[in-house]
Amino acid sequence: MYSVGVDYGTNSVRALVVDIASGEEIATAVFDYPSGEAGILLDPADPNVARQNPADYIEGFYKSVAQAVGDAANTKLFAADKVVGIGVDTTGSTPIPVNREGAALALLDPFRDNLAAHAWLWKDHSSHAEAEDITRAASAGGFPYLAKCGGTYSSEWYWSKILHCMRTAPEVAEAAYSWVELADFIPAFVTGNTNPDCLARCICAAGHKAMYHTEWDGLPSAAFLDGLEPGLSRFRYATVAVPSNQSAGELSADVAGRVGLPAGIPVAVGAFDAHMGAVGSGCGEGILVKILGTSSCDCMPAPMTAKLPDIPGLCGIVPESIIPGMYGLEAGQSAVGDIFNWFVKHLAPGGDTDQGAAHERLTADAARLKPGESGLVALDWNNGNRTVLVDPLLTGLIVGQTLHTTSAEIYRALIEATAFGALTIINRFSEYGVDVQQVINCGGIAEKNPLVMQIYADICNRPMRISRSAQTCALGAAIFGSVVAGAYPNVAAAQAKMTGVKDLIYDPIGENVAVYQELYRIYRALHDAFGLESTSRPLSHVMKDLIAIRQRVRKGLIDV
Amino acid sequence: MYSVGVDYGTNSVRALVVDIASGEEIATAVFDYPSGEAGILLDPADPNVARQNPADYIEGFYKSVAQAVGDAANTKLFAADKVVGIGVDTTGSTPIPVNREGAALALLDPFRDNLAAHAWLWKDHSSHAEAEDITRAASAGGFPYLAKCGGTYSSEWYWSKILHCMRTAPEVAEAAYSWVELADFIPAFVTGNTNPDCLARCICAAGHKAMYHTEWDGLPSAAFLDGLEPGLSRFRYATVAVPSNQSAGELSADVAGRVGLPAGIPVAVGAFDAHMGAVGSGCGEGILVKILGTSSCDCMPAPMTAKLPDIPGLCGIVPESIIPGMYGLEAGQSAVGDIFNWFVKHLAPGGDTDQGAAHERLTADAARLKPGESGLVALDWNNGNRTVLVDPLLTGLIVGQTLHTTSAEIYRALIEATAFGALTIINRFSEYGVDVQQVINCGGIAEKNPLVMQIYADICNRPMRISRSAQTCALGAAIFGSVVAGAYPNVAAAQAKMTGVKDLIYDPIGENVAVYQELYRIYRALHDAFGLESTSRPLSHVMKDLIAIRQRVRKGLIDV
């Protein structure tokens, strides 16, 4: 029996056909979104805008699934009628305005050329003022809604985007009957569900991005929403948000015909890519999955036997958002690979044929250094700090430079900084009683850079394991497909058969651990001095003051 | 009438013939020291060793002065018998062991191949343990000797070097009758003075490097010196150290014949290059001269009408060391151009044909940035901090990096950091009642980089002037030559005729000043947090802890 996982990334969609008995990946196909720049619709007047064309998502499902199923058919044992389930994961929060029939407004006249009517991609930051409004309103009004997402609402999230649309593109907001997360839009579309009032809303998106929680009445109250903007409460949905072990419906005959599958296959409720990636990597109680890419997403489920305390600084604590029946804990670092890429792009001395070659050369040179040898320590905040400080207005720092400091020493210090950031997250879990017994890494950096993994092992003082699959998000989606098919009683049972780690495990090296424990104390001293706001910390405003000056100068308020 | 200035640098000696009525530079000649690597004798076994061959100094006088005088003769009005005085400046502390007849041991058997018998160049750091011993002995014994040199004795200085020679090359120490600074050796040699007991010892070297001061009995007491090493007191000289408006003697017939000048010309007492350079740049009461090169040397005289307080953190406060009759104040930054060169060497992205081209490109890009626009602030401590913290174990820091920070932004932040360091020195002068009314800059950076000068003007909120002469050290030496000739009653009168500044003055730009005042507050917050040792400052040990870890790892005490 087989399951199909469909993974909607930022620039493309991938379909994966998986043997559910073994987790063997039979066939895969990728479809690049054709619209805009690498699939993203930009606005020359506002660099914060990042939208997508819903038509790309639909065509992407047809093309990628059809090709993967077609390729799978080259495998002796495969047959289309052996596909028992489908799962879908997507980026998010990526809400799409739809009409009463569930159709994306962007696909209809007169909205085809209206950017506000398209999908609002997760990394669209045009709603930063609205995010601040929401944080202020929740805080000032004494509402509990931010307790589960670290205390600060983000411009990347559901309500910020809808609010910004109401204020800047009222014609779209008025025409919208509802806003549907991409993670819910795809399962609804492929199951032929055209009623926005009845389509399955996933707990993953609702809980992490829309302030949905059973401790209050699901979504924030109508009074709260209308207090932000009269009419905003119209976009509250009344349905109960559900986890991905539930079925969103069955593959419609129309869609089935286009992708070469039989109609009627159950389709799991969607979820975000990182969460299904964690499942595909083998997360479980005490097992943290780190998805290492340009940034990091750290996911771990925790048992619901006891009420979990709110953990300060965690992006999200949402029941059932990763594995049904467990709390889903999400943390992350705002930049990991992005910091290494920044260094190579702006500061790596020449002679390399391309940036990949520069990474290889710097990695080789950095690998020859001993921990502590450079005398450098850096903070990994070039893109702010998501966990545990939850502060986008923090910036990078490096200390210890001499006249002999080399580029490889700095490159290694930046790697170490991201590892110290990773350890800070693990420690925060532990401080609140959630013990991290095992770490499984996935993503490009984890697979390609043994130096990074060894440094993470030495600094976190824990073995670093690597997910066996290189397509953990799509694999996680396929796992949920197998569960809604009834092939497994629950996610853990499916994971036991379908996931695994590579044989190569990076074990901590004792001598390195000892040096890094000393360096971590220095990292924490810097972390606290620059990151914790306090009148008794004279440096706690340095980074924000610099940003304030920068913004003022750039806006030309000072005519220098 | 003409004066000849002879300037002994680290790699070469320059002779300059100057019209004393106008300061016009008639002719100049440079002689590169032929021995060792660029004139420096190295020890493959110890990178701290830097010695020079005294024969190079003697040949250098003959060759450079002869050529300059010969070239001057091409000028219509010049004649050798119109040369009325000679001045000499040198690097230092650069002591030379000599025998009872004043001859350098290195020029005699059996010491010709003995590195310890050669000149110990200023930047020889092999005596660091001895420097620590001296600092400890002075401090523990309650001796006042370090009060005028910032509280810490240096491995670059006179007694450290002699002590190291006694401990590591006793055959040289035993053969030495005296140790003579290069600044005293040359005037003695060219005036035929062969008695080390009677040659003029300049106050500049004695006061700044040998702990000589009239507040105590000139040099440190015999008891103190012998407490460091029995017999060290043998190298106390009994003469009173004198300023450079006094004559060291008259040009000997032998030397005069070799250089094409008449015998009997008065030769001024020597001094260090930076101090005579300050004179050649036009320093005076309220006028600070900054010599900007790989590091900076900041010199200013102050009136002796009132007793000057000891200014914490100043390298030296020595009566008459710059201008006779005034206090000589010396401060400095451990690295200026060296920081820019470090950045270009290790961190400038490729595509430049050479480092000069990289400097030009980065300077052009940095010039397009507005103050504060980058959001960066750096500390200029890559080579420690000479003034006002007097701490070689401080290191560099940069804060404010994002994922978009460019190399030009960092380059500009490093320039700004050195300017903030310059302002900190100026402020320290002011805090102790020594007002800096004017700043004159000289050296390669001052002449070649308008961006650096504009940033210095904006950050120091003072006009930045540039010395008219590009050879200020040799010009300063010639000024002292003219004074000992009696052509002028004092140094100030000679400066009035012989020095000047360029027409181009960099005036502070009001809007930039305002932004930089905000940024300086941040610089000072970092400066104090990382630079001032205090238990209430949690970051005050960060840089030293990192160095301690680095040293331990590099020494292999931890076998990683």
Side-chain angles (χ1 to χ4, degrees):
Chain A
M1 292 193 293
Y2 299 89
S3 178
V4 175
V6 188
D7 165 39
Y8 284 85
T10 299
N11 310 110
S12 62
V13 53
R14 171 187 297 275
L16 181 71
V17 180
V18 183
D19 180 334
I20 67 171
S22 63
E24 189 185 354
E25 298 169 3
I26 301 297
T28 187
V30 173
F31 174 81
D32 294 321
Y33 305 141
S35 303
E37 294 198 19
I40 305 174
L41 307 174
L42 304 174
D43 181 351
D46 182 356
N48 287 315
V49 166
R51 308 279 156 80
Q52 292 196 310
N53 188 344
D56 292 354
Y57 301 144
I58 294 168
E59 187 186 3
F61 190 91
Y62 295 156
K63 291 276 173 64
S64 67
V65 176
Q67 189 189 329
V69 169
D71 287 354
N74 296 329
T75 313
K76 203 166 48 178
L77 297 173
F78 179 86
D81 61 7
K82 292 184 180 173
V83 173
V84 296
I86 295 172
V88 176
D89 71 86
T90 74
T91 66
S93 173
T94 303
I96 305 167
V98 300
N99 67 8
R100 182 178 291 268
E101 288 74 40
L105 292 184
L107 306 185
L108 307 172
D109 289 325
F111 297 108
R112 294 182 195 275
D113 294 326
N114 189 326
L115 272 182
H118 286 66
W120 293 49
L121 186 62
W122 66 276
K123 66 178 178 178
D124 186 300
H125 287 111
S126 52
S127 318
H128 48 84
E130 287 77 11
E132 289 172 19
D133 284 353
I134 293 170
T135 299
R136 199 180 310 117
S139 170
F143 294 97
Y145 304 136
L146 298 176
K148 309 298 178 188
C149 60
T152 306
Y153 204 72
S154 165
S155 63
E156 293 186 359
W157 297 350
Y158 190 78
W159 292 112
S160 298
K161 286 169 169 169
I162 298 175
L163 189 50
H164 188 66
C165 181
M166 289 180 74
R167 291 177 178 173
T168 58
E171 74 286 1
V172 172
E174 280 159 25
Y177 178 76
S178 185
W179 288 73
V180 182
E181 284 279 359
L182 175 56
D184 299 328
F185 180 86
I186 297 297
F189 180 83
V190 301
T191 59
N193 187 333
T194 60
N195 185 347
D197 290 329
C198 298
L199 64 83
R201 307 279 185 160
C202 65
I203 184 64
C204 183
H208 284 288
K209 310 299 180 187
M211 298 184 282
Y212 181 104
H213 202 281
T214 52
E215 278 186 22
W216 45 89
D217 183 26
L219 292 172
S221 70
F224 174 77
L225 295 174
D226 287 337
L228 286 161
E229 184 79 30
L232 180 58
S233 68
R234 192 161 67 79
F235 300 114
R236 284 184 101 243
Y237 42 83
T239 43
V240 172
V242 288
S244 302
N245 64 341
Q246 300 204 19
S247 172
E250 296 179 349
L251 194 64
S252 73
D254 177 43
V255 174
R258 290 172 183 264
V259 298
L261 289 174
I265 298 174
V267 177
V269 167
F272 290 147
D273 39 15
H275 295 74
M276 285 199 170
V279 169
S281 296
C283 73
E285 183 177 351
I287 305 175
L288 175 73
V289 168
K290 292 180 68 67
I291 303 175
L292 292 176
T294 54
S295 62
S296 92
C297 189
D298 299 9
C299 292
M300 190 165 85
M304 293 178 82
T305 48
K307 183 178 179 302
L308 201 65
D310 295 334
I311 302 180
L314 229 63
C315 317
I317 306 173
V318 174
E320 310 198 286
S321 69
I322 302 173
I323 291 182
M326 303 184 81
Y327 286 115
L329 275 52
E330 184 191 341
Q333 292 171 262
S334 313
V336 177
D338 269 348
I339 296 182
F340 315 150
N341 291 336
W342 161 74
F343 184 77
V344 160
K345 180 176 176 190
H346 291 288
L347 295 166
D352 300 300
T353 51
D354 59 28
Q355 294 190 0
H359 278 296
E360 278 178 33
R361 178 179 53 78
L362 286 166
T363 299
D365 290 346
R368 280 189 284 273
L369 297 168
K370 298 174 183 175
E373 177 180 343
S374 70
L376 300 173
V377 164
L379 290 174
D380 51 322
W381 300 349
N382 289 45
N383 195 28
N385 178 296
R386 193 180 295 161
T387 311
V388 298
L389 296 169
V390 199
D391 191 340
L393 296 184
L394 296 174
T395 53
L397 178 146
I398 185 161
V399 60
Q401 300 93 308
T402 70
L403 294 174
H404 307 289
T405 298
T406 67
S407 56
E409 287 177 327
I410 295 179
Y411 190 76
R412 185 176 176 118
L414 295 173
I415 294 172
E416 291 167 347
T418 67
F420 290 136
L423 176 57
T424 304
I425 292 172
I426 290 173
N427 287 346
R428 176 56 55 97
F429 280 153
S430 302
E431 287 155 18
Y432 286 82
V434 182
D435 201 28
V436 177
Q437 289 150 16
Q438 211 182 101
V439 182
I440 299 173
N441 300 273
C442 63
I445 291 176
E447 291 178 15
K448 290 178 197 161
N449 198 315
L451 175 65
V452 171
M453 283 296 94
Q454 186 60 53
I455 289 174
Y456 274 54
D458 292 339
I459 286 180
C460 297
N461 197 12
R462 286 168 166 83
M464 289 291 143
R465 293 174 168 79
I466 314 290
S467 167
R468 190 176 59 198
S469 171
Q471 296 148 169
T472 50
C473 298
L475 176 59
I479 285 171
F480 283 100
S482 75
V483 171
V484 292
Y488 290 107
N490 55 43
V491 169
Q495 283 180 300
K497 295 288 187 184
M498 297 173 72
T499 70
V501 296
K502 295 190 177 179
D503 292 338
L504 177 61
I505 295 174
Y506 298 89
D507 283 309
I509 298 168
E511 297 86 343
N512 295 359
V513 170
V515 175
Y516 280 134
Q517 284 175 343
E518 290 185 77
L519 291 176
Y520 183 63
R521 279 195 288 274
I522 293 172
Y523 174 91
R524 278 311 295 247
L526 294 167
H527 177 283
D528 293 355
F530 286 91
L532 296 179
E533 294 202 28
S534 154
T535 51
S536 68
R537 297 179 187 274
L539 300 180
S540 62
H541 280 274
V542 161
M543 292 169 177
K544 292 185 175 61
D545 288 349
L546 285 172
I547 289 173
I549 293 169
R550 181 184 80 193
Q551 298 296 76
R552 220 179 48 212
V553 170
R554 288 189 180 181
K555 282 179 184 163
L557 294 182
I558 292 183
D559 181 28
V560 287
Chain B
M1 292 195 290
Y2 299 88
S3 178
V4 176
V6 188
D7 166 40
Y8 284 85
T10 298
N11 311 108
S12 62
V13 53
R14 171 187 296 274
L16 182 71
V17 180
V18 184
D19 180 333
I20 67 171
S22 63
E24 190 186 350
E25 297 170 1
I26 301 297
T28 187
V30 173
F31 174 81
D32 293 322
Y33 305 141
S35 304
E37 294 199 17
I40 304 175
L41 307 174
L42 305 173
D43 181 351
D46 182 357
N48 287 315
V49 167
R51 308 280 156 81
Q52 292 196 309
N53 189 344
D56 292 355
Y57 301 145
I58 294 169
E59 187 187 2
F61 190 91
Y62 295 155
K63 290 276 174 63
S64 67
V65 176
Q67 189 190 328
V69 168
D71 288 354
N74 297 329
T75 314
K76 207 167 42 179
L77 297 171
F78 179 85
D81 61 6
K82 291 184 180 174
V83 173
V84 296
I86 295 171
V88 176
D89 71 86
T90 74
T91 66
S93 173
T94 303
I96 306 167
V98 300
N99 68 8
R100 183 179 290 268
E101 288 73 41
L105 292 185
L107 306 184
L108 306 172
D109 290 325
F111 297 110
R112 294 181 194 275
D113 294 327
N114 189 327
L115 271 183
H118 284 67
W120 292 51
L121 186 61
W122 65 275
K123 66 177 177 179
D124 187 298
H125 288 109
S126 50
S127 320
H128 49 82
E130 287 77 13
E132 287 171 21
D133 285 353
I134 293 171
T135 299
R136 201 179 309 115
S139 169
F143 295 97
Y145 306 135
L146 298 176
K148 309 300 176 185
C149 61
T152 306
Y153 204 71
S154 163
S155 63
E156 294 187 358
W157 297 351
Y158 191 77
W159 293 113
S160 298
K161 286 169 169 168
I162 298 174
L163 190 50
H164 188 66
C165 181
M166 289 180 75
R167 290 177 178 173
T168 58
E171 73 288 0
V172 172
E174 280 159 25
Y177 177 76
S178 184
W179 288 73
V180 181
E181 284 278 358
L182 175 56
D184 300 328
F185 180 86
I186 297 298
F189 180 83
V190 301
T191 59
N193 187 334
T194 60
N195 184 347
D197 290 329
C198 297
L199 64 82
R201 307 279 186 160
C202 66
I203 184 64
C204 181
H208 283 289
K209 310 299 179 188
M211 298 185 281
Y212 181 104
H213 202 281
T214 51
E215 277 186 22
W216 46 90
D217 183 27
L219 293 172
S221 70
F224 174 77
L225 296 174
D226 287 337
L228 286 161
E229 185 78 31
L232 180 57
S233 68
R234 193 162 66 80
F235 299 115
R236 285 185 99 242
Y237 41 85
T239 43
V240 172
V242 288
S244 302
N245 64 342
Q246 300 204 19
S247 171
E250 296 178 351
L251 194 65
S252 73
D254 176 46
V255 174
R258 290 172 183 262
V259 298
L261 288 174
I265 299 173
V267 177
V269 167
F272 289 148
D273 41 13
H275 295 74
M276 285 200 172
V279 169
S281 297
C283 72
E285 183 177 349
I287 305 175
L288 175 72
V289 168
K290 292 181 67 68
I291 303 174
L292 292 175
T294 53
S295 62
S296 92
C297 187
D298 299 9
C299 292
M300 190 166 83
M304 294 178 79
T305 48
K307 183 178 179 302
L308 201 66
D310 294 335
I311 303 180
L314 228 62
C315 318
I317 307 172
V318 175
E320 311 200 284
S321 70
I322 301 174
I323 291 182
M326 303 185 81
Y327 286 115
L329 274 54
E330 185 191 340
Q333 292 172 260
S334 313
V336 178
D338 270 349
I339 296 182
F340 315 150
N341 291 336
W342 161 74
F343 183 76
V344 160
K345 180 177 177 189
H346 291 287
L347 296 165
D352 301 299
T353 51
D354 57 30
Q355 294 190 1
H359 278 295
E360 278 179 34
R361 178 179 53 77
L362 287 165
T363 299
D365 290 348
R368 280 190 282 274
L369 298 168
K370 297 175 184 177
E373 177 179 343
S374 69
L376 300 173
V377 164
L379 291 175
D380 52 321
W381 299 349
N382 289 45
N383 195 26
N385 178 296
R386 193 180 295 161
T387 311
V388 299
L389 297 169
V390 200
D391 191 341
L393 296 183
L394 296 174
T395 52
L397 178 148
I398 185 160
V399 60
Q401 299 92 306
T402 70
L403 294 173
H404 308 288
T405 298
T406 66
S407 56
E409 287 177 326
I410 295 178
Y411 190 75
R412 185 176 176 117
L414 295 174
I415 294 173
E416 291 167 346
T418 67
F420 290 136
L423 176 58
T424 303
I425 292 173
I426 290 173
N427 287 345
R428 176 55 56 95
F429 281 152
S430 303
E431 287 155 20
Y432 285 82
V434 182
D435 201 26
V436 176
Q437 288 149 18
Q438 215 182 97
V439 181
I440 299 175
N441 300 273
C442 64
I445 291 175
E447 291 178 16
K448 291 179 196 157
N449 198 315
L451 175 65
V452 171
M453 284 297 94
Q454 186 61 53
I455 289 173
Y456 274 55
D458 293 340
I459 285 180
C460 297
N461 196 14
R462 286 168 168 83
M464 288 291 143
R465 294 173 168 81
I466 314 292
S467 168
R468 192 177 58 199
S469 172
Q471 296 147 171
T472 51
C473 299
L475 177 59
I479 285 172
F480 283 100
S482 75
V483 171
V484 291
Y488 290 107
N490 54 45
V491 169
Q495 285 180 298
K497 295 287 188 184
M498 297 173 70
T499 70
V501 297
K502 295 190 178 179
D503 291 338
L504 177 61
I505 295 174
Y506 297 89
D507 283 310
I509 298 168
E511 297 85 345
N512 295 0
V513 171
V515 176
Y516 280 134
Q517 284 175 344
E518 291 186 77
L519 292 175
Y520 182 64
R521 280 195 286 275
I522 293 173
Y523 174 91
R524 278 310 297 247
L526 294 166
H527 176 283
D528 293 354
F530 286 90
L532 297 179
E533 294 203 27
S534 155
T535 51
S536 68
R537 297 178 187 277
L539 300 180
S540 63
H541 280 274
V542 160
M543 292 170 178
K544 291 185 176 61
D545 288 349
L546 285 171
I547 289 174
I549 293 169
R550 182 184 80 193
Q551 299 295 77
R552 218 180 50 214
V553 170
R554 289 190 180 180
K555 282 179 185 163
L557 294 182
I558 292 183
D559 182 30
V560 286

